[in-house]
Amino acid sequence: MSLNLTLALIVAALALAVFAGWRGSRPWDPRRGVRMIPWRFVMLLAGAAVFILAIHVGTLLGVPQRAY
């Protein structure tokens, strides 16, 4: 994956994490029924994707990997 594509995916995953965090923090409205999308879990997955993509950017930029 190229650096430009990785950075674009980081921006998209970060935007999804922020949006899902906003939606997940809204109070539950019993008149509208059950939430069909688990927004907090979506936020967690998007945050994990940002973390993995940030590691990938580091490897693309030549940050050495250390095995402990």
Side-chain angles (χ1 to χ4, degrees):
M1 231 181 343
S2 69
L3 181 62
N4 292 334
L5 178 61
T6 305
L7 292 176
L9 288 175
I10 284 179
V11 170
L14 191 59
L16 178 63
V18 169
F19 177 73
W22 172 70
R23 290 288 301 212
S25 68
R26 294 179 68 190
W28 181 61
D29 186 11
R31 291 176 289 145
R32 295 185 67 184
V34 193
R35 289 184 185 172
M36 298 304 289
I37 299 175
W39 290 110
R40 292 181 183 166
F41 186 65
V42 171
M43 180 183 63
L44 179 72
L45 290 179
V50 168
F51 183 70
I52 291 170
L53 288 168
I55 292 172
H56 183 66
V57 166
T59 59
L60 287 176
L61 295 177
V63 176
Q65 297 179 358
R66 296 184 185 180
Y68 292 107

